[in-house]
Amino acid sequence: MRLLIARCQVDYAGRLSAHLPMGTRLIMVKSDGSVSIHADDRAYKPLNWMSAPCTITVNEPPADLEAVTADQEPGLTEVWEVRNTTGDTLQIAIAEVLHDSSHELGVDPGLQKDGVEAHLQALLAENPATFGDGWTLVQREYQTPIGPVDLLYRDALGAYVAVEVKRRGEIDGVEQLARYLELMNADPLMSPVRGVFAAQLIKPQAKVLAGTRGIDCLLVDYDALRGLDNADDRLF
């Protein structure tokens, strides 16, 4: 992983446009080629990013200052162009480098899920009919090049469905599943693969994002799956 602290300006062009004026930020480049830009707040969430697979091209800064946008400053050292497979671009104009280091992190052992989330995944694996009649489990923790998707099923028509399981469904979980689906659909032996985002609670913003990515959402009743909530025993 490469960590770069620099004064930079960032411009994203793709499904929408976004602009970060010149400021001091952390640029993180991971071994898979993904790039994210962070401020000194907002916990883990980057200001902007480009998910793998993508390519980075480092160019000389424009010689003609007229070619520089209004809030770029003279004295740029280099301009990065990060481009993904769909043609979206992330341009990082660097004016000053304050820190530049690379670190070998090795193979990550993976996220250890808390008891509820891990048990929820196991219960859904044992009860594929939760998603629909005729569904069958293919594999738990199906490995993709960037990590394991929680559950892989075939639906009643035999098509593959990737399911990401969360206790609390938020935007990051939808983004995670979208990255898995992009890679899985690049495999002609699997494509088309659709996605389902399953959680006990799904935030409205996550539902909206899932809809734009063609991902279905499913609210899961943990107690019902465990057999602790029998509808026949309810008074109302």
Side-chain angles (χ1 to χ4, degrees):
M1 177 184 291
R2 183 181 179 189
L3 302 176
L4 195 77
I5 298 176
R7 292 183 58 253
C8 62
Q9 170 181 305
V10 183
D11 290 278
Y12 173 81
R15 290 180 295 273
L16 49 81
S17 297
H19 172 71
L20 292 171
M22 188 66 69
T24 302
R25 302 180 179 92
L26 168 65
I27 304 170
M28 184 183 299
V29 184
K30 295 187 178 181
S31 59
D32 62 2
S34 60
V35 178
S36 57
I37 297 95
H38 300 259
D40 193 16
D41 61 3
R42 309 182 194 198
Y44 61 90
K45 189 171 181 62
L47 298 170
N48 214 324
W49 68 93
M50 185 72 78
S51 301
C54 56
T55 58
I56 303 174
T57 305
V58 179
N59 301 310
E60 294 291 328
D64 182 359
L65 288 181
E66 293 181 0
V68 180
T69 57
D71 56 356
Q72 280 183 332
E73 300 176 1
L76 296 178
T77 59
E78 58 189 30
V79 178
W80 296 11
E81 183 178 270
V82 187
R83 183 179 296 273
N84 65 13
T85 54
T86 62
D88 296 354
T89 61
L90 189 68
Q91 180 177 280
I92 307 172
I94 297 174
E96 181 184 8
V97 175
L98 306 176
H99 173 85
D100 190 353
S101 64
S102 296
H103 307 271
E104 179 59 52
L105 302 186
V107 178
D108 190 85
L111 176 67
Q112 299 297 315
K113 299 178 185 292
D114 66 52
V116 172
E117 191 168 304
H119 194 208
L120 183 59
Q121 182 190 127
L123 288 170
L124 289 172
E126 294 169 2
N127 297 276
T130 303
F131 298 93
D133 294 334
W135 283 51
T136 57
L137 178 69
V138 177
Q139 186 177 328
R140 287 183 62 185
E141 300 288 342
Y142 179 83
Q143 197 64 235
T144 76
I146 58 171
V149 66
D150 289 334
L151 300 166
L152 180 65
Y153 292 95
R154 283 187 184 271
D155 64 17
L157 300 177
Y160 285 111
V161 186
V163 177
E164 188 64 24
V165 180
K166 301 292 183 186
R167 183 173 58 177
R168 180 183 177 89
E170 302 193 40
I171 284 176
D172 287 344
V174 176
E175 292 280 15
Q176 180 183 2
L177 179 55
R179 292 193 293 270
Y180 292 150
L181 289 170
E182 182 178 357
L183 292 170
M184 295 169 78
N185 276 303
D187 183 349
L189 297 179
M190 296 193 70
S191 182
V193 185
R194 62 188 179 93
V196 174
F197 189 52
Q200 290 179 271
L201 172 67
I202 302 177
K203 297 186 72 172
Q205 299 92 328
K207 289 183 180 180
V208 171
L209 181 61
T212 66
R213 302 294 174 85
I215 294 171
D216 295 328
C217 291
L218 176 70
L219 287 174
V220 180
D221 189 329
Y222 181 54
D223 288 337
L225 280 173
R226 290 191 297 165
L228 300 181
D229 181 18
N230 189 340
D232 293 335
D233 294 336
R234 297 178 188 166
L235 296 177
F236 51 87

